[in-house]
């Protein structure tokens, strides 16, 4: 029998199991307990932080046989049917593939009938921002005069695309990504439960790869487990996820900040020969430059950093780093759009080297002032001074 992916096996089934999102969960639990419900809710946030999962839990809580309560039991018949996708009164629709008015018309007709078995008829629309304008218009009427048994849950990563006429008729909960510390603790707990031995450095890389997404972090752990050995090392995680070696970023930035063009360009060439993702490399260098700038301007308390970054920041002027960040941001954007990777990164490297060689403005002004000799400058060409000292046009 095939093993379930960790992202599915560890999916929360009750509010109490959800990582973070304390404020939305508290509000939804209170609404379920008091049966003080809106006709529609918007759940927004970045990918993989539990929007659709919480929508399913909310549907279970509204229909749980143990309710009204702030959380579902996840064991009664209604909860089990909803969890297994067998409930006729909880309908989930992927708006990315059902975008048209015909799909919404069917949904609207289903909403007119009372629930066949449960307390409420719940409609979960995932990726809701992809609905067409005509589909939204089709929903507007039923949201204006909703049947008392209906609840609509719109899950989206792009809430700005939801029409204002819809948003004004819904309660909007903006979900936050978990903190790196929360995500690290969660991944460590999941790894322990799955009997996966993992080194602390490898755990840090998984948190970084997750980029604030619980689902992405679990998927990364799954992938690393499939490729790496035991215990799971940082090198195994890098290999499994195709991450750029940390020493490559260090070597590149030391070469650039040291004015060694040959070494910096050779580092890019080596990465290309190894088949590394140059866009990912540019993104890693950009992130490291951000940390160097913060360390230089604020100090060690500004951001977690590698030992070599702290050492390098100690003797760098933070001002050129801001221009370096801009160059790398532009380059990473071009690489994401499919530009010629090696060419763009080589040219960016040469621009970075030029930035590091720029003379500070105050030094340039002082030097020019010294060269001009203070107030003894010669009159501009084509002018001469009169006896009274006023310049005259010649």
């Amino acid at each position: 029998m095939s093993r379930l992916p960790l992202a599915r096996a560890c999916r929360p089934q009750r509010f109490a199991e959800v990582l973070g999102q304390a404020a939305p969960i508290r509000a939804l639990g209170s609404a379920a307990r008091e049966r003080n419900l809106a006709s529609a809710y918007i759940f927004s946030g970045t990918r993989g932080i539990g929007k659709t999962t919480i929508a399913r839990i909310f549907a279970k809580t509204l229909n749980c046989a143990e309710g009204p309560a702030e959380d579902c039991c996840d064991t009664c018949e209604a909860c089990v049917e909803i969890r297994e996708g067998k409930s006729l009164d909880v309908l989930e629709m992927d708006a990315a593939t059902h975008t048209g008015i015909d799909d919404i018309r069917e949904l609207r007709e289903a909403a007119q009938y009372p629930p066949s078995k449960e307390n409420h008829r719940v409609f979960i629309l995932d990726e809701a921002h992809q609905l067409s304008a005509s589909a939204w218009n089709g929903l507007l009427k039923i949201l204006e005069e909703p049947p008392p048994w209906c609840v609509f849950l719109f899950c989206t990563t792009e809430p700005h695309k939801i029409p204002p006429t819809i948003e004004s008729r819904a309660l909007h909960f903006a979900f936050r990504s978990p903190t790196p510390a929360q995500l690290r603790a969660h991944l460590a707990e999941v790894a322990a439960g799955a009997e996966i031995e993992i080194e602390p450095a490898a755990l840090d890389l998984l948190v970084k790869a997750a980029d604030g997404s619980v689902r992405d972090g679990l998927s990364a752990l799954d992938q690393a487990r499939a490729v790496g050995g035991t215990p799971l090392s940082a090198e195994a995680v890098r290999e499994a996820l195709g991450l750029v070696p940390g020493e490559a970023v260090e070597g590149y930035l030391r070469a650039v900040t040291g004015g060694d063009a040959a070494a910096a360009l050779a580092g890019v060439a080596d990465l290309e020969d190894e088949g590394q993702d140059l866009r990912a490399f540019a993104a890693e260098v950009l992130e490291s430059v951000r940390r160097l700038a913060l360390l230089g301007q604020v100090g060690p308390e500004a951001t977690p950093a590698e030992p070599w970054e702290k050492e390098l920041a100690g003797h760098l002027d933070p001002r050129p780093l801001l221009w370096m960040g801009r160059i790398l941001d532009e380059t990473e954007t071009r690489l994401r759009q499919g530009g010629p990777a090696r060419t763009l990164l080589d040219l960016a490297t040469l621009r970075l080297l030029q930035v590091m060689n720029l003379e500070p403005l105050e030094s340039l002004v002082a030097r020019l002032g010294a060269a001009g000799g203070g107030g003894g400058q010669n009159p501009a060409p084509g002018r001469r001074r009169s006896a009274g000292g006023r310049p005259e046009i010649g």
Side-chain angles (χ1 to χ4, degrees):
M1 185 175 178
S2 61
R3 173 178 54 84
L4 278 177
L6 289 175
R8 286 185 60 192
C10 300
R11 179 178 291 160
Q13 298 299 332
R14 303 178 69 242
F15 282 142
E17 300 171 3
V18 174
L19 179 64
Q21 319 306 344
I25 286 174
R26 187 165 56 248
L28 294 171
S30 176
R33 184 190 69 241
E34 298 172 7
R35 290 297 188 256
N36 182 20
L37 303 174
S39 60
Y41 295 82
I42 298 171
F43 297 162
S44 67
T46 57
R47 71 187 190 284
I49 59 173
K51 299 181 298 295
T52 307
T53 295
I54 289 176
R56 292 170 183 151
I57 296 173
F58 190 40
K60 288 194 290 186
T61 304
L62 293 177
N63 292 304
C64 181
E66 302 297 323
E70 292 189 353
D71 205 348
C72 63
C73 69
D74 196 42
T75 56
C76 69
E77 182 181 2
C79 286
V80 171
E81 286 186 351
I82 295 171
R83 184 180 71 229
E84 296 178 353
K86 297 177 180 178
S87 175
L88 298 177
D89 295 319
V90 177
L91 295 98
E92 186 171 337
M93 188 177 82
D94 179 14
T97 54
H98 298 82
T99 62
I101 185 61
D102 291 337
D103 300 301
I104 296 302
R105 188 177 293 116
E106 293 178 10
L107 183 150
R108 190 174 57 194
E109 290 173 359
Q112 299 298 329
Y113 297 99
S116 60
K117 193 174 180 180
E118 315 299 355
N119 300 320
H120 293 83
R121 179 155 281 189
V122 182
F123 299 90
I124 302 173
L125 281 78
D126 204 8
E127 301 297 332
H129 59 273
Q130 298 203 40
L131 287 175
S132 65
S134 58
W136 283 120
N137 289 334
L139 277 173
L140 187 57
K141 181 64 176 177
I142 198 166
L143 291 182
E144 287 177 335
E145 300 176 6
W149 51 78
C150 277
V151 177
F152 288 85
L153 306 177
F154 302 113
C155 304
T156 177
T157 55
E158 301 183 48
H160 59 279
K161 291 185 177 180
I162 294 181
T165 52
I166 299 294
E167 188 169 13
S168 65
R169 291 167 172 82
L171 293 183
H172 186 174
F173 293 104
F175 292 5
R176 296 180 178 180
S177 297
T179 65
Q182 287 177 320
L183 194 49
R184 192 182 194 280
H186 182 65
L187 292 176
E189 182 181 351
V190 170
E195 298 182 348
I196 303 171
E197 291 185 59
I198 183 168
E199 296 178 355
L203 203 54
D204 292 337
L205 286 177
L206 290 174
V207 171
K208 188 175 182 180
D211 193 23
S213 169
V214 180
R215 183 179 64 228
D216 288 0
L218 292 173
S219 297
L221 177 57
D222 232 350
Q223 187 171 336
R225 172 173 64 171
V227 177
T230 300
L232 201 55
S233 66
E235 188 58 37
V237 171
R238 286 190 184 277
E239 183 180 355
L241 303 182
L243 300 179
V244 177
E247 58 270 18
V249 176
E250 177 185 356
Y252 179 80
L253 281 175
R254 286 191 181 278
V256 167
T257 56
D260 192 340
L265 292 170
V268 175
D270 290 343
L271 288 171
E272 185 184 46
D273 291 342
E274 295 169 8
Q276 297 284 353
D277 183 352
L278 294 184
R279 187 198 69 78
F281 174 71
E284 288 288 330
V285 175
L286 174 60
E287 175 60 23
S288 186
V289 167
R290 180 190 73 86
R291 290 194 292 268
L292 290 174
L294 289 174
L295 289 169
Q297 290 278 21
V298 182
E301 69 278 6
T303 180
E306 298 291 334
W308 68 267
E309 290 174 325
K310 295 177 182 179
E311 179 261 319
L312 191 59
H315 57 81
L316 285 179
D317 184 343
R319 289 169 294 187
L321 293 171
L322 303 180
W323 288 104
M324 290 177 66
R326 182 172 180 176
I327 293 169
L328 288 164
D329 179 52
E330 293 172 355
T331 303
E332 199 268 341
T333 300
R334 290 285 308 279
L335 290 171
R336 196 186 309 122
Q337 295 169 349
R342 173 70 183 278
T343 300
L344 288 172
L345 202 49
D346 278 350
L347 292 175
T349 301
L350 296 177
R351 291 173 66 194
L352 295 175
L353 288 158
Q354 290 297 319
V355 165
M356 293 304 301
N357 289 330
L358 291 178
E359 185 175 358
L361 183 60
E362 59 270 24
S363 173
L364 181 62
V365 170
R367 187 162 56 83
L368 290 175
Q377 295 94 337
N378 293 325
R383 294 174 179 261
R384 65 177 182 272
R385 294 189 179 273
S386 65
R390 292 188 300 272
E392 297 178 347
I393 303 296

